[in-house]
Short mmCIF file of all heavy atoms in Angstrom, two decimals:
data_model
loop_
_atom_site.label_atom_id
_atom_site.label_comp_id
_atom_site.label_asym_id
_atom_site.label_seq_id
_atom_site.Cartn_x
_atom_site.Cartn_y
_atom_site.Cartn_z
N MET A 1 -3.82 12.14 4.77
CA MET A 1 -4.26 11.01 3.93
C MET A 1 -4.48 11.44 2.51
O MET A 1 -4.87 12.56 2.27
CB MET A 1 -5.63 10.52 4.49
CG MET A 1 -5.50 9.69 5.82
SD MET A 1 -7.13 8.96 6.13
CE MET A 1 -6.76 8.41 7.72
N PRO A 2 -4.23 10.52 1.63
CA PRO A 2 -4.45 10.83 0.19
C PRO A 2 -5.96 10.90 -0.04
O PRO A 2 -6.71 10.13 0.54
CB PRO A 2 -3.78 9.77 -0.59
CG PRO A 2 -3.57 8.68 0.38
CD PRO A 2 -3.58 9.25 1.74
N ILE A 3 -6.31 11.69 -0.94
CA ILE A 3 -7.76 11.85 -1.44
C ILE A 3 -7.71 11.45 -2.90
O ILE A 3 -7.04 12.05 -3.69
CB ILE A 3 -8.37 13.29 -1.23
CG1 ILE A 3 -8.34 13.62 0.22
CG2 ILE A 3 -9.74 13.27 -1.75
CD1 ILE A 3 -8.65 15.06 0.56
N TYR A 4 -8.51 10.50 -3.18
CA TYR A 4 -8.67 10.04 -4.53
C TYR A 4 -10.02 10.55 -5.16
O TYR A 4 -11.00 10.46 -4.51
CB TYR A 4 -8.63 8.50 -4.67
CG TYR A 4 -7.24 7.97 -4.28
CD1 TYR A 4 -7.09 7.39 -3.07
CD2 TYR A 4 -6.19 8.07 -5.05
CE1 TYR A 4 -5.98 6.88 -2.60
CE2 TYR A 4 -4.90 7.54 -4.74
CZ TYR A 4 -4.80 6.98 -3.42
OH TYR A 4 -3.65 6.50 -3.05
N GLU A 5 -9.93 11.01 -6.37
CA GLU A 5 -11.10 11.38 -7.11
C GLU A 5 -11.51 10.40 -8.12
O GLU A 5 -10.60 10.06 -8.82
CB GLU A 5 -11.05 12.82 -7.61
CG GLU A 5 -12.35 13.29 -8.31
CD GLU A 5 -12.24 14.73 -8.72
OE1 GLU A 5 -11.27 15.41 -8.53
OE2 GLU A 5 -13.29 15.19 -9.30
N PHE A 6 -12.73 9.92 -8.15
CA PHE A 6 -13.14 8.81 -9.05
C PHE A 6 -14.22 9.36 -9.89
O PHE A 6 -15.04 10.23 -9.48
CB PHE A 6 -13.68 7.68 -8.26
CG PHE A 6 -12.62 6.93 -7.51
CD1 PHE A 6 -12.43 7.26 -6.19
CD2 PHE A 6 -11.81 5.90 -8.09
CE1 PHE A 6 -11.45 6.61 -5.42
CE2 PHE A 6 -10.85 5.26 -7.32
CZ PHE A 6 -10.65 5.55 -6.07
N GLN A 7 -14.33 8.82 -11.11
CA GLN A 7 -15.50 9.14 -11.98
C GLN A 7 -16.05 7.78 -12.41
O GLN A 7 -15.29 6.92 -12.78
CB GLN A 7 -15.03 9.91 -13.25
CG GLN A 7 -16.27 10.16 -14.18
CD GLN A 7 -15.91 11.12 -15.30
OE1 GLN A 7 -14.79 11.20 -15.75
NE2 GLN A 7 -16.91 11.79 -15.80
N CYS A 8 -17.36 7.69 -12.16
CA CYS A 8 -18.15 6.53 -12.56
C CYS A 8 -18.17 6.40 -14.07
O CYS A 8 -18.64 7.34 -14.68
CB CYS A 8 -19.42 6.51 -11.85
SG CYS A 8 -20.51 5.11 -12.22
N ASN A 9 -17.84 5.21 -14.53
CA ASN A 9 -17.95 4.98 -16.01
C ASN A 9 -19.34 4.71 -16.46
O ASN A 9 -19.65 4.58 -17.71
CB ASN A 9 -16.99 3.85 -16.42
CG ASN A 9 -15.52 4.21 -16.22
OD1 ASN A 9 -15.13 5.33 -16.46
ND2 ASN A 9 -14.74 3.25 -15.77
N GLN A 10 -20.20 4.44 -15.46
CA GLN A 10 -21.56 3.99 -15.86
C GLN A 10 -22.46 5.29 -15.90
O GLN A 10 -23.19 5.47 -16.81
CB GLN A 10 -22.15 3.13 -14.78
CG GLN A 10 -21.31 1.75 -14.72
CD GLN A 10 -21.47 0.97 -16.03
OE1 GLN A 10 -22.53 0.91 -16.62
NE2 GLN A 10 -20.31 0.45 -16.51
N CYS A 11 -22.37 6.11 -14.82
CA CYS A 11 -23.31 7.29 -14.85
C CYS A 11 -22.59 8.59 -14.92
O CYS A 11 -23.23 9.66 -15.06
CB CYS A 11 -24.21 7.16 -13.61
SG CYS A 11 -23.26 7.52 -12.03
N GLY A 12 -21.28 8.58 -14.84
CA GLY A 12 -20.53 9.84 -15.07
C GLY A 12 -20.35 10.63 -13.79
O GLY A 12 -19.68 11.74 -13.89
N MET A 13 -20.87 10.23 -12.66
CA MET A 13 -20.74 10.97 -11.47
C MET A 13 -19.26 10.92 -10.96
O MET A 13 -18.62 9.94 -11.04
CB MET A 13 -21.65 10.35 -10.39
CG MET A 13 -21.56 11.13 -9.09
SD MET A 13 -22.75 10.47 -7.88
CE MET A 13 -22.39 11.55 -6.54
N THR A 14 -18.82 12.10 -10.47
CA THR A 14 -17.53 12.20 -9.90
C THR A 14 -17.64 12.41 -8.39
O THR A 14 -18.65 13.08 -7.92
CB THR A 14 -16.66 13.33 -10.44
OG1 THR A 14 -17.41 14.63 -10.23
CG2 THR A 14 -16.42 13.09 -11.89
N PHE A 15 -16.73 11.76 -7.65
CA PHE A 15 -16.81 11.95 -6.15
C PHE A 15 -15.39 11.75 -5.55
O PHE A 15 -14.50 11.08 -6.23
CB PHE A 15 -17.79 10.95 -5.55
CG PHE A 15 -17.48 9.54 -5.85
CD1 PHE A 15 -16.82 8.77 -4.85
CD2 PHE A 15 -17.85 8.91 -7.06
CE1 PHE A 15 -16.52 7.43 -5.20
CE2 PHE A 15 -17.59 7.55 -7.32
CZ PHE A 15 -16.85 6.85 -6.38
N ASP A 16 -15.28 12.21 -4.32
CA ASP A 16 -13.92 12.15 -3.71
C ASP A 16 -14.01 10.99 -2.70
O ASP A 16 -15.05 10.81 -2.08
CB ASP A 16 -13.59 13.39 -3.00
CG ASP A 16 -13.45 14.54 -3.89
OD1 ASP A 16 -12.90 14.43 -5.00
OD2 ASP A 16 -13.79 15.67 -3.52
N GLN A 17 -12.92 10.30 -2.59
CA GLN A 17 -12.80 9.17 -1.64
C GLN A 17 -11.57 9.30 -0.83
O GLN A 17 -10.43 9.31 -1.38
CB GLN A 17 -12.85 7.85 -2.40
CG GLN A 17 -12.74 6.62 -1.45
CD GLN A 17 -14.00 6.43 -0.64
OE1 GLN A 17 -15.16 6.45 -1.16
NE2 GLN A 17 -13.80 6.19 0.67
N LEU A 18 -11.67 9.45 0.45
CA LEU A 18 -10.52 9.59 1.32
C LEU A 18 -10.07 8.13 1.65
O LEU A 18 -10.83 7.27 2.07
CB LEU A 18 -10.93 10.24 2.61
CG LEU A 18 -9.75 10.56 3.59
CD1 LEU A 18 -8.78 11.55 3.00
CD2 LEU A 18 -10.28 11.16 4.90
N CYS A 19 -8.80 7.87 1.37
CA CYS A 19 -8.34 6.53 1.42
C CYS A 19 -7.16 6.42 2.37
O CYS A 19 -6.28 7.32 2.52
CB CYS A 19 -7.86 6.06 0.06
SG CYS A 19 -9.20 6.01 -1.15
N ARG A 20 -6.95 5.24 2.97
CA ARG A 20 -5.83 5.06 3.87
C ARG A 20 -4.65 4.68 2.91
O ARG A 20 -4.79 4.31 1.82
CB ARG A 20 -6.16 3.88 4.81
CG ARG A 20 -7.16 4.23 5.80
CD ARG A 20 -7.55 3.10 6.67
NE ARG A 20 -8.61 3.43 7.58
CZ ARG A 20 -9.23 2.60 8.40
NH1 ARG A 20 -8.86 1.35 8.45
NH2 ARG A 20 -10.21 3.09 9.23
N ILE A 21 -3.49 4.79 3.56
CA ILE A 21 -2.24 4.58 2.83
C ILE A 21 -2.26 3.20 2.12
O ILE A 21 -1.91 3.07 0.89
CB ILE A 21 -1.02 4.65 3.64
CG1 ILE A 21 -0.99 6.14 4.31
CG2 ILE A 21 0.28 4.37 2.93
CD1 ILE A 21 -0.80 7.21 3.34
N ASN A 22 -2.61 2.15 2.78
CA ASN A 22 -2.47 0.80 2.36
C ASN A 22 -3.85 0.37 1.94
O ASN A 22 -4.16 -0.83 1.88
CB ASN A 22 -1.81 -0.11 3.27
CG ASN A 22 -0.35 0.23 3.50
OD1 ASN A 22 0.35 0.54 2.61
ND2 ASN A 22 0.05 0.15 4.78
N TRP A 23 -4.75 1.30 1.60
CA TRP A 23 -6.10 0.94 1.38
C TRP A 23 -6.25 0.11 0.08
O TRP A 23 -5.71 0.57 -0.94
CB TRP A 23 -6.96 2.24 1.33
CG TRP A 23 -8.33 2.02 0.85
CD1 TRP A 23 -9.43 1.66 1.59
CD2 TRP A 23 -8.79 2.25 -0.52
NE1 TRP A 23 -10.53 1.61 0.71
CE2 TRP A 23 -10.13 1.96 -0.61
CE3 TRP A 23 -8.10 2.66 -1.70
CZ2 TRP A 23 -10.83 2.08 -1.72
CZ3 TRP A 23 -8.88 2.79 -2.85
CH2 TRP A 23 -10.19 2.54 -2.85
N GLN A 24 -6.95 -0.98 0.17
CA GLN A 24 -7.09 -1.82 -1.07
C GLN A 24 -8.58 -2.23 -1.26
O GLN A 24 -8.83 -3.12 -1.98
CB GLN A 24 -6.21 -3.05 -1.08
CG GLN A 24 -4.73 -2.65 -1.05
CD GLN A 24 -3.85 -3.91 -1.12
OE1 GLN A 24 -4.22 -4.95 -0.64
NE2 GLN A 24 -2.57 -3.85 -1.70
N GLY A 25 -9.38 -1.52 -0.53
CA GLY A 25 -10.82 -1.94 -0.67
C GLY A 25 -11.45 -1.47 -1.90
O GLY A 25 -10.86 -0.72 -2.68
N SER A 26 -12.58 -1.86 -2.13
CA SER A 26 -13.32 -1.39 -3.25
C SER A 26 -14.09 -0.14 -3.10
O SER A 26 -14.49 0.15 -1.95
CB SER A 26 -14.32 -2.58 -3.66
OG SER A 26 -15.31 -2.70 -2.69
N VAL A 27 -14.32 0.59 -4.10
CA VAL A 27 -14.99 1.83 -4.11
C VAL A 27 -16.24 1.72 -5.01
O VAL A 27 -16.12 1.14 -6.06
CB VAL A 27 -14.17 2.99 -4.55
CG1 VAL A 27 -14.98 4.29 -4.47
CG2 VAL A 27 -13.00 3.23 -3.74
N LYS A 28 -17.41 2.09 -4.49
CA LYS A 28 -18.54 1.99 -5.26
C LYS A 28 -19.13 3.33 -5.60
O LYS A 28 -18.99 4.27 -4.71
CB LYS A 28 -19.73 1.12 -4.58
CG LYS A 28 -19.30 -0.37 -4.50
CD LYS A 28 -20.41 -1.09 -3.71
CE LYS A 28 -19.96 -2.55 -3.63
NZ LYS A 28 -21.01 -3.25 -2.86
N CYS A 29 -19.70 3.56 -6.70
CA CYS A 29 -20.37 4.79 -7.07
C CYS A 29 -21.43 5.08 -6.07
O CYS A 29 -22.34 4.21 -5.89
CB CYS A 29 -20.85 4.77 -8.45
SG CYS A 29 -21.88 6.20 -8.97
N PRO A 30 -21.50 6.26 -5.40
CA PRO A 30 -22.62 6.54 -4.50
C PRO A 30 -23.88 6.79 -5.23
O PRO A 30 -24.96 6.77 -4.57
CB PRO A 30 -22.06 7.85 -3.77
CG PRO A 30 -21.12 8.42 -4.74
CD PRO A 30 -20.50 7.36 -5.51
N SER A 31 -23.84 6.88 -6.51
CA SER A 31 -25.09 7.20 -7.23
C SER A 31 -25.82 5.88 -7.75
O SER A 31 -26.91 5.61 -7.42
CB SER A 31 -24.82 8.12 -8.37
OG SER A 31 -26.01 8.36 -9.19
N CYS A 32 -24.98 5.10 -8.41
CA CYS A 32 -25.52 3.88 -8.99
C CYS A 32 -25.00 2.58 -8.46
O CYS A 32 -25.54 1.50 -8.78
CB CYS A 32 -25.33 3.84 -10.53
SG CYS A 32 -23.58 3.80 -10.99
N GLY A 33 -24.02 2.68 -7.63
CA GLY A 33 -23.49 1.50 -6.86
C GLY A 33 -22.53 0.61 -7.66
O GLY A 33 -22.10 -0.44 -7.29
N LYS A 34 -22.21 1.02 -8.90
CA LYS A 34 -21.22 0.32 -9.69
C LYS A 34 -19.82 0.51 -9.22
O LYS A 34 -19.49 1.52 -8.59
CB LYS A 34 -21.37 0.72 -11.15
CG LYS A 34 -22.84 0.57 -11.77
CD LYS A 34 -23.16 -0.91 -11.97
CE LYS A 34 -24.45 -0.99 -12.70
NZ LYS A 34 -24.92 -2.43 -12.83
N GLU A 35 -19.05 -0.51 -9.52
CA GLU A 35 -17.54 -0.32 -9.25
C GLU A 35 -16.74 -0.07 -10.46
O GLU A 35 -15.53 -0.20 -10.42
CB GLU A 35 -17.07 -1.64 -8.50
CG GLU A 35 -17.80 -1.84 -7.16
CD GLU A 35 -17.27 -3.13 -6.46
OE1 GLU A 35 -16.06 -3.46 -6.65
OE2 GLU A 35 -18.00 -3.69 -5.68
N ASP A 36 -17.35 0.28 -11.51
CA ASP A 36 -16.70 0.64 -12.74
C ASP A 36 -16.16 2.11 -12.77
O ASP A 36 -16.87 2.98 -13.23
CB ASP A 36 -17.60 0.35 -13.92
CG ASP A 36 -16.88 0.52 -15.28
OD1 ASP A 36 -15.65 0.67 -15.28
OD2 ASP A 36 -17.62 0.59 -16.30
N LEU A 37 -15.00 2.31 -12.12
CA LEU A 37 -14.66 3.66 -11.73
C LEU A 37 -13.31 3.98 -12.42
O LEU A 37 -12.44 3.04 -12.57
CB LEU A 37 -14.57 3.87 -10.28
CG LEU A 37 -15.83 3.58 -9.52
CD1 LEU A 37 -15.59 3.65 -8.06
CD2 LEU A 37 -16.92 4.58 -9.92
N THR A 38 -13.03 5.17 -12.72
CA THR A 38 -11.79 5.65 -13.18
C THR A 38 -11.23 6.63 -12.16
O THR A 38 -11.91 7.50 -11.71
CB THR A 38 -11.85 6.45 -14.58
OG1 THR A 38 -12.36 5.48 -15.50
CG2 THR A 38 -10.57 6.98 -14.96
N LYS A 39 -9.97 6.39 -11.70
CA LYS A 39 -9.29 7.32 -10.73
C LYS A 39 -8.83 8.47 -11.47
O LYS A 39 -8.11 8.34 -12.50
CB LYS A 39 -8.19 6.60 -10.03
CG LYS A 39 -7.62 7.43 -8.91
CD LYS A 39 -6.34 6.80 -8.37
CE LYS A 39 -6.61 5.47 -7.67
NZ LYS A 39 -5.38 4.92 -7.11
N ILE A 40 -9.26 9.70 -11.07
CA ILE A 40 -8.92 10.90 -11.78
C ILE A 40 -7.66 11.55 -11.23
O ILE A 40 -6.64 11.67 -11.91
CB ILE A 40 -10.06 11.94 -11.75
CG1 ILE A 40 -11.33 11.34 -12.34
CG2 ILE A 40 -9.64 13.19 -12.52
CD1 ILE A 40 -12.48 12.25 -12.14
N ILE A 41 -7.64 11.89 -10.02
CA ILE A 41 -6.47 12.55 -9.37
C ILE A 41 -6.30 11.99 -7.99
O ILE A 41 -7.19 11.44 -7.37
CB ILE A 41 -6.60 14.05 -9.28
CG1 ILE A 41 -7.79 14.46 -8.54
CG2 ILE A 41 -6.64 14.58 -10.66
CD1 ILE A 41 -7.87 15.91 -8.15
N SER A 42 -5.09 12.14 -7.45
CA SER A 42 -4.87 11.88 -6.08
C SER A 42 -4.07 13.11 -5.52
O SER A 42 -3.22 13.73 -6.20
CB SER A 42 -4.04 10.56 -5.84
OG SER A 42 -2.80 10.67 -6.46
N GLN A 43 -4.40 13.43 -4.29
CA GLN A 43 -3.68 14.56 -3.67
C GLN A 43 -3.52 14.32 -2.24
O GLN A 43 -4.31 13.50 -1.62
CB GLN A 43 -4.34 15.87 -3.99
CG GLN A 43 -5.79 15.86 -3.37
CD GLN A 43 -6.55 17.16 -3.93
OE1 GLN A 43 -6.21 17.79 -4.91
NE2 GLN A 43 -7.49 17.53 -3.15
N VAL A 44 -2.56 14.95 -1.67
CA VAL A 44 -2.41 14.78 -0.18
C VAL A 44 -2.97 16.12 0.49
O VAL A 44 -2.61 17.21 0.13
CB VAL A 44 -0.92 14.61 0.20
CG1 VAL A 44 -0.73 14.53 1.71
CG2 VAL A 44 -0.40 13.39 -0.48
N SER A 45 -3.94 15.93 1.32
CA SER A 45 -4.54 17.05 1.99
C SER A 45 -3.51 17.85 2.82
O SER A 45 -2.66 17.27 3.48
CB SER A 45 -5.67 16.64 2.91
OG SER A 45 -5.34 15.75 3.87
N GLY A 46 -3.57 19.15 2.75
CA GLY A 46 -2.63 19.97 3.49
C GLY A 46 -1.47 20.47 2.68
O GLY A 46 -0.82 21.40 3.05
N LEU A 47 -1.28 19.86 1.53
CA LEU A 47 -0.20 20.37 0.64
C LEU A 47 -0.79 20.95 -0.62
O LEU A 47 -1.62 20.24 -1.30
CB LEU A 47 0.67 19.18 0.16
CG LEU A 47 1.53 18.53 1.38
CD1 LEU A 47 2.38 17.39 0.79
CD2 LEU A 47 2.41 19.55 2.04
N GLY A 48 -0.45 22.17 -0.93
CA GLY A 48 -1.09 22.87 -2.05
C GLY A 48 -0.35 22.51 -3.36
O GLY A 48 -1.03 22.54 -4.39
N ARG A 49 0.83 22.09 -3.30
CA ARG A 49 1.60 21.84 -4.50
C ARG A 49 1.99 20.34 -4.54
O ARG A 49 2.47 19.76 -3.53
CB ARG A 49 2.82 22.67 -4.62
CG ARG A 49 2.53 24.14 -4.67
CD ARG A 49 3.75 24.94 -4.54
NE ARG A 49 4.60 24.87 -5.75
CZ ARG A 49 4.46 25.65 -6.82
NH1 ARG A 49 3.51 26.58 -6.87
NH2 ARG A 49 5.23 25.52 -7.89
N GLY A 50 1.85 19.73 -5.71
CA GLY A 50 2.32 18.33 -5.81
C GLY A 50 3.77 18.16 -5.79
O GLY A 50 4.56 19.08 -6.14
N ALA A 51 4.26 16.96 -5.48
CA ALA A 51 5.62 16.71 -5.49
C ALA A 51 6.16 16.83 -6.86
O ALA A 51 5.49 16.37 -7.83
CB ALA A 51 5.92 15.34 -4.91
N GLY A 52 7.32 17.40 -7.12
CA GLY A 52 7.81 17.58 -8.45
C GLY A 52 7.51 18.87 -9.13
O GLY A 52 7.98 19.17 -10.17
N ASP A 53 6.66 19.68 -8.49
CA ASP A 53 6.31 20.95 -9.02
C ASP A 53 7.49 21.91 -8.85
O ASP A 53 8.08 21.99 -7.80
CB ASP A 53 5.15 21.63 -8.40
CG ASP A 53 3.84 21.03 -8.95
OD1 ASP A 53 3.93 20.16 -9.86
OD2 ASP A 53 2.79 21.28 -8.38
N HIS A 54 7.81 22.69 -9.95
CA HIS A 54 8.96 23.63 -9.95
C HIS A 54 8.35 24.96 -10.26
O HIS A 54 7.55 25.07 -11.21
CB HIS A 54 10.06 23.25 -10.83
CG HIS A 54 10.76 21.91 -10.42
ND1 HIS A 54 11.90 21.91 -9.69
CD2 HIS A 54 10.39 20.71 -10.62
CE1 HIS A 54 12.30 20.71 -9.51
NE2 HIS A 54 11.42 19.86 -10.06
N CYS A 55 8.91 25.98 -9.61
CA CYS A 55 8.54 27.35 -9.95
C CYS A 55 9.28 27.59 -11.30
O CYS A 55 10.44 27.43 -11.48
CB CYS A 55 9.01 28.31 -8.92
SG CYS A 55 8.86 30.04 -9.39
N SER A 56 8.53 28.16 -12.24
CA SER A 56 9.14 28.42 -13.52
C SER A 56 9.96 29.71 -13.57
O SER A 56 10.70 29.88 -14.47
CB SER A 56 8.06 28.50 -14.65
OG SER A 56 7.11 29.46 -14.33
N SER A 57 9.77 30.50 -12.59
CA SER A 57 10.47 31.82 -12.55
C SER A 57 11.84 31.67 -11.92
O SER A 57 12.79 32.24 -12.32
CB SER A 57 9.64 32.89 -11.83
OG SER A 57 8.46 33.09 -12.68
N CYS A 58 11.92 31.00 -10.77
CA CYS A 58 13.10 31.04 -10.05
C CYS A 58 13.69 29.59 -9.83
O CYS A 58 14.73 29.40 -9.30
CB CYS A 58 12.92 31.59 -8.63
SG CYS A 58 11.91 30.57 -7.50
N SER A 59 13.09 28.60 -10.35
CA SER A 59 13.49 27.22 -10.29
C SER A 59 13.49 26.68 -8.86
O SER A 59 14.04 25.62 -8.58
CB SER A 59 14.82 27.06 -10.94
OG SER A 59 14.79 27.35 -12.34
N GLY A 60 12.86 27.51 -8.00
CA GLY A 60 12.81 26.94 -6.60
C GLY A 60 11.84 25.80 -6.48
O GLY A 60 10.77 25.88 -7.12
N LYS A 61 12.09 24.83 -5.73
CA LYS A 61 11.30 23.66 -5.69
C LYS A 61 10.06 23.93 -4.88
O LYS A 61 9.02 23.36 -5.10
CB LYS A 61 12.04 22.44 -5.08
CG LYS A 61 11.51 21.12 -5.59
CD LYS A 61 12.46 20.03 -5.29
CE LYS A 61 11.88 18.74 -5.90
NZ LYS A 61 12.80 17.55 -5.64
N SER A 62 10.19 24.81 -3.92
CA SER A 62 8.99 25.06 -3.03
C SER A 62 8.67 26.53 -2.97
O SER A 62 8.29 27.11 -1.95
CB SER A 62 9.26 24.53 -1.63
OG SER A 62 10.44 25.14 -1.09
N CYS A 63 8.89 27.26 -4.10
CA CYS A 63 8.64 28.66 -4.20
C CYS A 63 7.13 28.88 -4.00
O CYS A 63 6.36 28.32 -4.72
CB CYS A 63 9.13 29.20 -5.46
SG CYS A 63 8.70 31.04 -5.64
N ASN A 64 6.72 29.94 -3.19
CA ASN A 64 5.37 30.25 -3.09
C ASN A 64 5.10 31.67 -3.50
O ASN A 64 4.02 32.11 -3.39
CB ASN A 64 4.86 29.98 -1.66
CG ASN A 64 4.77 28.51 -1.37
OD1 ASN A 64 4.35 27.75 -2.07
ND2 ASN A 64 5.31 28.14 -0.14
N GLY A 65 6.13 32.36 -3.90
CA GLY A 65 6.01 33.81 -4.04
C GLY A 65 6.03 34.34 -5.50
O GLY A 65 5.39 35.38 -5.70
N CYS A 66 6.74 33.75 -6.37
CA CYS A 66 7.01 34.46 -7.62
C CYS A 66 6.25 33.87 -8.75
O CYS A 66 6.43 34.26 -9.94
CB CYS A 66 8.48 34.52 -7.90
SG CYS A 66 9.29 32.96 -8.18
N ASN A 67 5.40 32.91 -8.52
CA ASN A 67 4.54 32.52 -9.62
C ASN A 67 3.13 32.32 -9.22
O ASN A 67 2.37 31.54 -9.65
CB ASN A 67 5.15 31.28 -10.35
CG ASN A 67 4.95 30.03 -9.49
OD1 ASN A 67 4.90 30.22 -8.29
ND2 ASN A 67 4.95 28.90 -9.99
ZN1 LIG B 1 -22.38 5.66 -11.07
#
């Protein structure tokens, strides 16, 4: 499942939210309860490298050894 990290624009708190693929619900800040949030990053748990990452040394798309 993708994990989204949000930052609250009201109080500045950051938190992770595990979301379903087609999730469209609202997210509220756990600190102040506002929905004024900025999505910072998304990542898929279990994968260390994001799609599109290339090794700068060998140009291997899934190299884990040389950089
Ligand atoms: Zn907040």
Side-chain angles (χ1 to χ4, degrees):
M1 283 189 192
I3 299 173
Y4 297 102
E5 184 172 356
F6 293 93
Q7 181 170 27
C8 178
N9 294 323
Q10 297 297 317
C11 69
M13 180 175 181
T14 59
F15 59 98
D16 297 325
Q17 178 71 47
L18 186 65
C19 301
R20 295 176 182 174
I21 299 297
N22 295 320
W23 169 84
Q24 293 182 333
S26 62
V27 178
K28 294 181 180 179
C29 173
S31 178
C32 67
K34 301 291 187 181
E35 295 183 28
D36 185 12
L37 305 172
T38 299
K39 186 188 295 183
I40 301 175
I41 59 170
S42 63
Q43 62 187 23
V44 178
S45 59
L47 295 178
R49 300 172 67 88
D53 280 356
H54 292 264
C55 173
S56 58
S57 297
C58 71
S59 298
K61 204 167 186 178
S62 60
C63 174
N64 291 315
C66 67
N67 69 337

